[in-house]
Amino acid sequence: MEKIEGEIDKIIFHNNSNNFTVAKLVDGTYVVGSIVNLQKGEFISGVGKWQSHKIYGKQFLIDSYTTKLPTDTIGIQRYLESGLVKGIGPVYAKNIVSKFKENTLEVIDKNPHLLLQVEGIGKKRIEKIKFFWDKQRAIREVMIFLRSFNISISFSQKIYKKYKEESIYKIKENPYRIAKEIFGIGFKNADNVAQKMGFEKTSKKRIKAGIEYAFLELSNLGHTCIEENRLINKTQTILDIQPSLIQKVLKEMIEEEDLILEKKDKKNFLWYRSFYFSEKKIIKNLIRLKNSKSLIRKIDEEKAIAWVEKLQKIKLEENQIEAVKKAVSSKLHIITGGPGTGKSTITKSIINILEKLTKKIILAAPTGRAAKRLQEITKKKAFTIHSLLEMNFLDGSFKKNKNNPIDSDLIIIDEASMIDTFLMCHLLEAIPNNSKVIFIGDIDQLPSIGPGYVLKDMIMSKQIGTSRLFKIFRQSKNSKIITNAHKINKGIFPDISNSPFSDFQFIFEEDKYKIQKKIVDLIYIEIPKKYKISSFSIQVLSPMKKGIIGTENLNEVIQNKINPSATPFYKNDKCFHINDKVMQIRNNYKKNVYNGDIGKIIKIDEEIEILFDRRVVKYDISEIDEIVLAYAVSVHKYQGSECNFIIMPIHESHFKLLYRNLLYTAITRSKKNFFLVGTKKAISIAIKNEEVLKRDTGLEFFLKKETQFI
């Protein structure tokens, strides 16, 4: 490595997204690299290497550097003229330096009141100068501090945004907090910072953070509680220390009630307090709602059925009639069934009957798309659960709660299989005693993205009345999408014989590269040509993230084919273009966008603007890790959404994630045409594998223990 030193004469170029900078020194040398908050007049000392550039010629590529403020009057004046300190322009810079000479920066830093001696500067301007001086100094100190630990610019910006001037103090006090409190950093980066700061591998803070990280990793798989030995083994893998040390800290965490210990299935299970009390609150509120009196009067069920059949000009089947009767007469009820079993017909019938008795009927679903579809089916306004609960987007709390309940006599929740533990807890808390509640969903679909298996746990506990629909109705039997979905759900190999008019097409390919090529051809040429649609209206669902036919690679290939760009935007190994289809991958309550929401990039500048269902959301450059390309997405992320045309690769290389309910869920996301590209063997693997159904939760266990339900 070579060294360079010099005073900055001019900033030629600076990229806000990654801080790539081209600067010219007073001696004419050009320096380039990722440099934070570099300003004209500063003195830079760096190490790196010399290279040639076709425009700037010989230049120095900086690998690491330090900067310091100028000490001579010319450098100080240049520094203040740069615009870094708002309130000081070229004229004031010249006058201030003329007055205080080499002591100028010390005056601004320690005795800013002395600036009153400069003509034209008053108290208000001094306050402004002082504010921006302190702010820039704090940002610089934090960035330089974090750079020494190899924390990226984008993460450094997030850390400063979170902790402001306390950033360095908070990290020194406990570097592991950034793994938990800053999205995307993770335990390994935090551990690297801690190790460099001198934290021992066996320190209590490290072990506790490792346990928390292990629990988080497992809860990301859907668990709300973790078997004790499993948590210890996972933590040991992460920390590489003796299990006895982990057990000691674990015991302290249990004593301090950071973790809750209970015996379940003759084994010790551990809950985080938030998971434990959320499941307990769900049960408490289910009991409250079930045992409270409804304000809706009882009706003659037989007459109601005859009336609604006449109104809708339909003839309900026996199991549909039973479902409607139980739903209108019960305080709490669950209706579950696969595609084509009449859930929509039953929903409309229940509403038609009960709206004769009350106007306080609320319809809701977990996602915007699901709510929109519910609204289309019923011709009634439907809410997302978040909007129904009136989320406060500043802090993620809900305005509707037990002290300010929803005004309703009946609440119908569609796509209930998608509701995770925390959302269900908040929802039930906000439902008034007198309200009936009906949950509608498909128990055989993939469970919620968030922790828990709420709908299934409620059904399997047998403590809440449930109507299960099995029969496929005549009009649905003409759809191979529906008949094959039900076959797969029963463990039967689907009908993959193709006909030109079938809505389910199987395309056999063994080679992964040929599968990828076929998918691109289907999106770019075949489907748009045959059905006269845009490539952007086709959705690819893949079981895996990595690999040739995983979502990451497919997104890149599809993007380059259907939406190329001469001016791509790069950030953290991601590449985005205007008009790209993208997906939000975490709940962002401040922006009112949620994990799985799909939108389109409409602007890339200092900010990125994304259109989500007719609503524009702005993203700061440091927030780009919250979105990914969405030409191809995981089946799990696409829950609750539907698309007319869906393509899915299926190959033995995906064997780790080939499950029956994953394939079933993928097929049921398609409204018109489903294309399965791959091998029969992979289909067979998926159908035989039901392991994904296993999630460790406490809800079913706790419900069965509650005698108040019996």
Side-chain angles (χ1 to χ4, degrees):
M1 288 283 187
E2 298 176 275
K3 293 183 179 180
I4 194 169
E5 291 184 341
E7 183 186 324
I8 302 298
D9 178 55
K10 188 177 182 182
I11 306 298
I12 307 294
F13 172 79
H14 178 73
N15 185 328
N16 283 326
S17 67
N18 57 15
N19 285 291
F20 180 77
T21 303
V22 179
K24 183 183 177 185
L25 304 184
V26 291
D27 65 3
T29 302
Y30 288 97
V31 295
V32 300
S34 183
I35 310 172
V36 181
N37 283 345
L38 192 64
Q39 299 296 328
K40 177 181 176 180
E42 285 184 318
F43 189 86
I44 189 168
S45 176
V47 295
K49 62 182 180 180
W50 291 96
Q51 62 181 22
S52 294
H53 189 274
K54 60 183 179 182
I55 296 175
Y56 300 111
K58 191 178 182 183
Q59 58 182 214
F60 192 82
L61 176 63
I62 285 184
D63 181 63
S64 63
Y65 68 94
T66 58
T67 59
K68 62 181 181 181
L69 298 179
T71 54
D72 62 283
T73 55
I74 295 173
I76 292 169
Q77 186 170 327
R78 281 193 185 127
Y79 181 70
L80 294 178
E81 286 174 347
S82 69
L84 170 72
V85 184
K86 289 182 173 57
I88 301 178
V91 174
Y92 283 123
K94 182 180 178 182
N95 292 344
I96 292 169
V97 173
S98 295
K99 179 70 177 175
F100 299 109
K101 305 292 190 293
E102 289 86 355
N103 298 322
T104 294
L105 298 184
E106 187 177 356
V107 167
I108 294 172
D109 188 41
K110 296 178 180 177
N111 300 293
H113 63 278
L114 295 178
L115 293 174
L116 287 169
Q117 299 174 23
V118 179
E119 186 180 351
I121 295 182
K123 289 182 179 179
K124 284 190 176 180
R125 186 173 293 275
I126 290 174
E127 287 176 8
K128 186 177 183 181
I129 291 168
K130 180 64 176 169
F131 174 81
F132 284 104
W133 176 266
D134 290 343
K135 183 178 179 182
Q136 287 298 323
R137 179 174 56 190
I139 293 171
R140 180 185 301 277
E141 287 173 354
V142 171
M143 294 297 185
I144 291 171
F145 173 76
L146 293 171
R147 187 176 177 84
S148 66
F149 299 110
N150 296 320
I151 298 293
S152 71
I153 297 297
S154 61
F155 282 143
S156 296
Q157 290 169 337
K158 282 189 170 189
I159 290 168
Y160 182 79
K161 198 172 182 180
K162 174 76 174 176
Y163 304 129
K164 299 292 189 295
E165 289 77 9
E166 290 189 306
S167 296
I168 295 174
Y169 165 76
K170 283 184 177 290
I171 292 169
K172 282 183 175 179
E173 188 266 331
N174 184 5
Y176 293 104
R177 71 191 311 151
I178 62 175
K180 191 163 57 173
E181 297 174 2
I182 309 295
F183 174 71
I185 285 188
F187 178 82
K188 289 181 181 177
N189 280 325
D191 196 33
N192 178 54
V193 172
Q195 299 285 310
K196 287 186 176 180
M197 287 174 61
F199 277 72
E200 296 290 332
K201 283 186 73 175
T202 56
S203 75
K204 182 181 173 180
K205 283 182 179 177
R206 181 173 187 262
I207 296 171
K208 186 177 181 181
I211 292 169
E212 290 173 341
Y213 178 67
F215 198 104
L216 178 65
E217 287 278 284
L218 293 167
S219 70
N220 284 339
L221 299 175
H223 306 295
T224 60
C225 57
I226 314 295
E227 197 270 315
E228 186 176 22
N229 289 331
R230 185 181 186 187
L231 183 60
I232 291 169
N233 292 338
K234 178 78 174 176
T235 307
Q236 187 185 10
T237 302
I238 294 165
L239 299 181
D240 189 28
I241 60 173
Q242 291 295 319
S244 58
L245 296 171
I246 299 168
Q247 287 169 328
K248 183 181 177 182
V249 175
L250 201 57
K251 185 180 178 184
E252 289 180 24
M253 291 176 75
I254 293 166
E255 288 171 353
E256 293 166 4
E257 293 191 344
D258 291 330
L259 292 171
I260 311 293
L261 173 68
E262 281 221 26
K263 273 209 177 297
K264 181 169 84 82
D265 303 326
K266 298 180 180 179
K267 294 179 181 177
N268 285 342
F269 277 83
L270 293 163
W271 283 257
Y272 255 122
R273 286 175 59 86
S274 57
F275 289 93
Y276 183 82
F277 289 111
S278 291
E279 290 191 322
K280 286 288 191 177
K281 277 185 181 179
I282 288 172
I283 293 161
K284 178 184 174 183
N285 283 299
L286 287 172
I287 292 170
R288 172 180 63 84
L289 290 167
K290 187 175 182 182
N291 294 338
S292 301
K293 187 176 176 61
S294 170
L295 293 182
I296 299 175
R297 67 175 173 83
K298 290 186 177 181
I299 59 171
D300 186 322
E301 295 163 11
E302 296 295 338
K303 285 183 179 179
I305 295 294
W307 175 82
V308 85
E309 286 180 328
K310 186 177 179 181
L311 177 72
Q312 293 188 31
K313 297 177 182 178
I314 58 169
K315 185 65 180 173
L316 295 171
E317 296 286 344
E318 190 176 333
N319 65 336
Q320 288 183 310
I321 290 171
E322 282 304 305
V324 174
K325 283 182 178 180
K326 288 177 181 177
V328 298
S329 63
S330 303
K331 195 69 168 38
L332 279 174
H333 197 68
I334 299 169
I335 298 170
T336 184
T341 57
K343 294 193 299 296
S344 298
T345 301
I346 289 171
T347 304
K348 286 188 286 184
S349 298
I350 293 166
I351 293 169
N352 287 152
I353 292 169
L354 293 182
E355 69 182 351
K356 289 294 180 182
L357 306 175
T358 179
K359 298 302 179 187
K360 293 182 179 180
I361 297 175
I362 302 287
L363 308 181
T367 67
R369 280 182 170 80
K372 189 177 179 182
R373 194 175 75 250
L374 179 59
Q375 191 163 301
E376 289 168 354
I377 290 166
T378 62
K379 311 301 181 192
K380 308 287 182 186
K381 182 173 176 58
F383 301 84
T384 64
I385 295 174
H386 287 92
S387 62
L388 176 64
L389 296 176
E390 297 181 23
M391 170 165 273
N392 182 336
F393 298 112
L394 295 176
D395 61 11
S397 64
F398 295 102
K399 293 178 185 176
K400 292 296 183 184
N401 50 49
K402 65 181 180 181
N403 299 317
N404 179 30
I406 300 160
D407 185 17
S408 66
D409 290 337
L410 168 67
I411 293 182
I412 297 176
I413 307 294
D414 198 17
E415 294 285 4
S417 63
M418 294 178 60
I419 306 175
D420 65 31
T421 299
F422 297 119
L423 188 57
M424 182 62 86
C425 177
H426 288 295
L427 173 62
L428 293 176
E429 282 270 287
I431 298 175
N433 291 344
N434 56 272
S435 186
K436 285 176 175 284
V437 185
I438 299 170
F439 297 103
I440 300 171
D442 186 349
I443 191 179
D444 296 312
Q445 281 192 26
L446 286 171
S448 58
I449 294 174
Y453 216 155
V454 180
L455 183 68
K456 186 181 179 189
D457 282 350
M458 289 196 301
I459 292 171
M460 298 306 290
S461 74
K462 298 181 180 177
Q463 301 286 47
I464 300 169
T466 301
S467 295
R468 188 151 191 183
L469 309 172
F470 294 101
K471 184 173 181 179
I472 305 172
F473 289 93
R474 193 177 298 110
Q475 64 272 26
S476 297
K477 287 182 179 177
N478 297 323
S479 166
K480 274 177 67 176
I481 287 175
I482 290 176
T483 54
N484 276 342
H486 283 273
K487 282 183 177 181
I488 288 165
N489 198 31
K490 293 175 183 175
I492 302 168
F493 198 87
D495 177 4
I496 57 173
S497 59
N498 290 334
S499 73
F501 306 105
S502 173
D503 61 359
F504 185 104
Q505 298 285 328
F506 173 67
I507 300 159
F508 176 74
E509 283 292 354
E510 285 187 307
D511 185 87
K512 287 181 287 185
Y513 291 92
K514 289 181 179 178
I515 292 173
Q516 181 200 90
K517 184 180 183 304
K518 185 62 182 177
I519 289 170
V520 174
D521 287 346
L522 283 167
I523 290 175
Y524 189 60
I525 302 169
E526 296 178 26
I527 296 175
K529 184 179 178 182
K530 182 176 179 179
Y531 298 98
K532 311 300 180 191
I533 62 165
S534 164
S535 296
F536 287 87
S537 60
I538 303 164
Q539 185 62 56
V540 178
L541 302 181
S542 179
M544 290 192 77
K545 189 177 177 182
K546 303 293 183 182
I548 301 301
I549 47 178
T551 57
E552 288 183 347
N553 190 59
L554 284 171
N555 269 316
E556 185 178 336
V557 172
I558 296 167
Q559 179 195 49
N560 290 336
K561 193 68 176 178
I562 72 172
N563 192 39
S565 169
T567 55
F569 170 79
Y570 290 96
K571 178 69 174 175
N572 295 345
D573 299 324
K574 293 181 179 181
C575 174
F576 296 108
H577 306 163
I578 297 286
N579 294 322
D580 268 340
K581 185 195 289 189
V582 293
M583 175 180 276
Q584 176 79 12
I585 58 169
R586 69 181 291 245
N587 290 338
N588 188 320
Y589 301 118
K590 290 183 180 179
K591 295 184 186 296
N592 192 16
V593 286
Y594 303 97
N595 197 347
D597 284 355
I598 290 179
K600 183 175 79 170
I601 294 177
I602 57 173
K603 184 180 178 183
I604 298 177
D605 202 340
E606 290 187 0
E607 291 182 315
I608 287 185
E609 293 183 5
I610 302 174
L611 182 65
F612 287 102
D613 196 22
R614 292 176 289 184
R615 187 172 63 88
V616 176
V617 179
K618 293 182 179 182
Y619 286 74
D620 183 78
I621 298 302
S622 65
E623 298 172 314
I624 296 306
D625 55 358
E626 293 188 15
I627 62 169
V628 295
L629 291 174
Y631 300 106
V633 301
S634 71
V635 181
H636 222 135
K637 290 285 188 185
Y638 206 66
Q639 277 181 277
S641 298
E642 288 184 333
C643 185
N644 286 338
F645 296 86
I646 285 180
I647 304 169
M648 180 180 176
I650 188 161
H651 190 268
E652 296 93 292
S653 60
H654 289 165
F655 74 95
K656 288 183 179 179
L657 286 172
L658 288 178
Y659 301 104
R660 184 187 296 178
N661 64 350
L662 180 136
L663 181 55
Y664 170 80
T665 302
I667 293 170
T668 58
R669 297 306 87 209
S670 181
K671 290 169 69 177
K672 288 188 177 179
N673 291 86
F674 184 79
F675 299 82
L676 195 59
V677 187
T679 68
K680 295 178 183 178
K681 185 178 179 181
I683 297 172
S684 184
I685 291 170
I687 291 168
K688 291 174 183 176
N689 192 351
E690 293 186 90
E691 283 300 309
V692 77
L693 297 173
K694 177 66 176 170
R695 280 187 174 190
D696 286 323
T697 64
L699 190 59
E700 180 187 347
F701 171 72
F702 294 143
L703 275 167
K704 285 178 175 177
K705 285 175 65 177
E706 288 294 343
T707 57
Q708 295 179 69
F709 269 106
I710 299 168

